[in-house]
Amino acid sequence: MDYFPIAGTPLQVELGFVAVGTAPPPVRKPLGGPAATSLRVLVETQLEPTQAAAMEAMLATPLDKIFDGIWREQKSTVAGQVRQTVRDARPDAIDIDPDFPDKGTLRALTTENVSEELLELLSPVRQATQLTFSYQLPGVRVQWHETTGGPLSGAFDPAFELTFDAELGLYLGVPHDPHYPIAAAVDFLTLNVRLSGGNLIGGIGLAVTKLLDQIKDHPLVVPGEDVTSLPLDQLAGLAVQLNLLSGAFTKATSLGFDRLDVFIDSVVPEGEKVASNTVTFTLDRPFEPGPNVRQLGVDDGLFVSMTHLATLGTVVSPGGSLDVSGESFPVPSANNLAIEWDDTVAGKVVLSEIQWGFSPFGFTPDPSDTVKIDRDGPYDGRNRFSTGPTLMPESQYAFRVRDYAVKDQIATDWSPWLLASTAVTNDVDLVLDDARATVVGHTTVREDGTIATRITVPPDQPPGTYAVRAVQDGRRLASAPERITVLAAAAPPAPAIQAFNHFTHAQLDANGVALTKSPLDIHGVDFAPGTVSLFLDNENGPRLGDFPVQADGTFEATVRVPRGNTGRRPIMALQDSGLRASTYPIEFENPPA
């Protein structure tokens, strides 16, 4: 395979992506060109200031000039090492004078046949391209004399001249997955070695053979060190530049770029008329489909199991009332719609854009209704949008979303339009599960999804046990876990109990909060004279004590709930006859330790 000469052209980095407002396929833009200034700035914001400055320089400085600078920094070091090599091989050598060219010529080559040495450095990566740089230094010359000793020493010391062509080889293993770093190896080759001058016969000839072997084997390393490769850190900052380049490619993965390639292209430099070869790295990212969007608070007509729909008490007389509370009801949607979505952008999502509007008969809404939400990654909890209570009941609206990896420049495709309808009402009916579906209460769901109201059993309700259900627009949302008992008309009034704060005497209703181990007052009415037992939760829960019931059916008690019994839990009063009643569920919390 032929090498391509590289002269006068900087390293080229191109980013391939579908820009906002354009259609696939992706188009590559040079990172170092004016068309991608903002992208370059964005990439550099991921780097340290010194790294960003070096990145700018790397994209502006011709590659051959970078290698010329590396060689200038190393020239004196190489000369000293060659001088030492001659001295070690020929102890009588004096006036050793190495002469190297001030600069060389640069060539480059790419291949998919990566060397075993680079594959070992790249492990576990196997898919990569090998980029080889050959920096040629022709006409290296080393001159010296050798002392002969005796009275004629100096005037007749033989002179020697060693000439050879040198080549600095830099081999880069470029993984196609930019999450992995670029691997590098370096060597120094000597070609066309020639020695002239002196007496090459006998012992001197053997010594010169040793010298040639040393020059060929390790001209750039001190004898005794590794002779197979040249450490990168000896190449005047080349290792730093390579690490910077590799690190910048890895940083680009946070923007969704997931494919790295390198090739040699022929381009016309700015201000020039003749094409030149350039080494071009390309970073490409996919064009992702739009986010998966869904409407919040929709259950597709299925029964919604509510954790906290509860009645205060379970026994009631005809015409009597019970308090009811509930939580986690669907967010009111007669005047408001809410959506959420699963992000599909590769890399970090920095912004989500929502277009929405009124959509009668499924027509596409006016896309001027646009909202942008700043994001901080896929787990920031901002992947949702609510219109606010401004919509018309029983109306249809449409929504679509796209995510951005780079504001104003790189985004996913739009999601399909999601059609969502507002409810007929935010009101909830509380009904019994009898044949008539008797309505015993009516309330409105609050913005936080809670309800609190009082139900009243009709005076002519037949005695029996019934479930209390929450129904909205003919759809059952929830059912209280405990059935209520409606007594016969001639039966005594149903017992009831209420909890109060021991210190403030405030009644603890559906939102009551109390501390464990702290005193809590319980008042009861319509119990049978005798004794009543109090339990946490039910008769199988912790027993809180037995208390006397007065002749008028009332009792007062002070109880303490044991520490550790936290959460929303009612207190139940039970008599041996089966009479029972419960408080609202109370939120119990442990006191500070």
Side-chain angles (χ1 to χ4, degrees), residues 299 302-309 327-328 476-479:
D299 60 12
L302 300 178
F303 172 71
V304 181
S305 177
M306 291 294 107
T307 305
H308 303 304
L309 177 65
E327 294 182 350
S328 303
R476 179 157 59 104
L477 299 181
S479 183

Side-chain angles (χ1 to χ4, degrees), residues 77-358:
T77 301
V78 172
Q81 291 174 332
V82 169
R83 192 179 290 113
Q84 182 63 45
T85 299
V86 173
R87 188 176 292 114
D88 290 342
R90 302 296 295 162
D92 295 331
I94 60 174
D95 302 327
I96 304 170
D97 181 23
D99 182 32
F100 292 89
D102 291 331
K103 63 180 181 178
T105 58
L106 182 64
R107 305 181 303 165
L109 175 70
T110 59
T111 177
E112 296 301 309
N113 296 320
V114 183
S115 70
E116 289 299 322
E117 179 184 6
L118 284 179
L119 285 176
E120 183 175 347
L121 294 174
L122 285 167
S123 180
V125 174
R126 305 299 295 178
Q127 301 297 317
T129 299
Q130 178 171 317
L131 170 62
T132 301
F133 287 108
S134 170
Y135 188 70
Q136 296 182 308
L137 297 159
V140 179
R141 185 177 61 186
V142 185
Q143 296 177 323
W144 73 91
H145 291 81
E146 294 190 6
T147 60
T148 57
L152 299 180
S153 177
F156 295 96
D157 288 344
F160 293 87
E161 181 177 85
L162 179 69
T163 62
F164 59 88
D165 298 328
E167 179 180 344
L168 174 65
L170 172 62
Y171 310 95
L172 302 182
V174 181
H176 293 318
D177 184 347
H179 289 88
Y180 294 94
I182 294 174
V186 182
D187 64 17
F188 193 93
L189 305 176
T190 54
L191 309 170
N192 305 320
V193 180
R194 297 178 299 278
L195 180 68
S196 60
N199 184 354
L200 305 183
I201 300 175
I204 293 180
L206 294 176
V208 169
T209 300
K210 176 184 177 184
L211 170 63
L212 292 179
D213 288 343
Q214 284 190 288
I215 291 291
K216 292 177 182 178
D217 284 345
H218 51 277
L220 292 189
V221 292
V222 176
E225 293 185 357
D226 182 12
V227 299
T228 59
S229 64
L230 182 68
L232 279 176
D233 56 11
Q234 292 189 13
L235 290 185
L238 180 61
V240 174
Q241 291 180 318
L242 290 175
N243 288 336
L244 166 67
L245 186 67
S246 180
F249 292 154
T250 299
K251 292 287 188 180
T253 60
S254 67
L255 306 178
F257 292 90
D258 62 0
R259 171 76 187 196
L260 176 63
D261 288 286
V262 62
F263 60 90
I264 299 172
D265 196 11
S266 182
V267 299
V268 179
E270 186 175 355
E272 302 289 337
K273 296 182 179 180
V274 180
S276 300
N277 297 319
T278 183
V279 175
T280 300
F281 284 88
T282 61
L283 275 166
D284 295 307
R285 73 183 310 283
F287 183 53
E288 304 92 347
N292 304 312
V293 186
R294 56 190 170 274
Q295 182 180 352
L296 284 175
V298 173
D299 60 12
D300 298 324
L302 300 178
F303 172 71
V304 181
S305 177
M306 291 294 107
T307 305
H308 303 304
L309 177 65
T311 58
L312 176 57
T314 57
V315 180
V316 63
S317 301
S321 298
L322 293 173
D323 289 326
V324 176
S325 65
E327 294 182 350
S328 303
F329 278 71
V331 176
S333 59
N335 306 105
N336 177 66
L337 288 173
I339 62 169
E340 71 175 1
W341 56 92
D342 298 321
D343 299 310
T344 54
V345 68
K348 179 181 178 180
V349 54
V350 298
L351 182 137
S352 291
E353 182 178 10
I354 303 99
Q355 289 185 346
W356 71 281
F358 182 53

Side-chain angles (χ1 to χ4, degrees), residues 2 68 99 141-142 155 261 271 297-298 308 363 467-468 472 537 544:
D2 295 331
D68 289 344
D99 182 32
R141 185 177 61 186
V142 185
D261 288 286
V298 173
H308 303 304
F363 295 154
V468 178
Q472 185 180 69
D537 297 328
L544 304 179

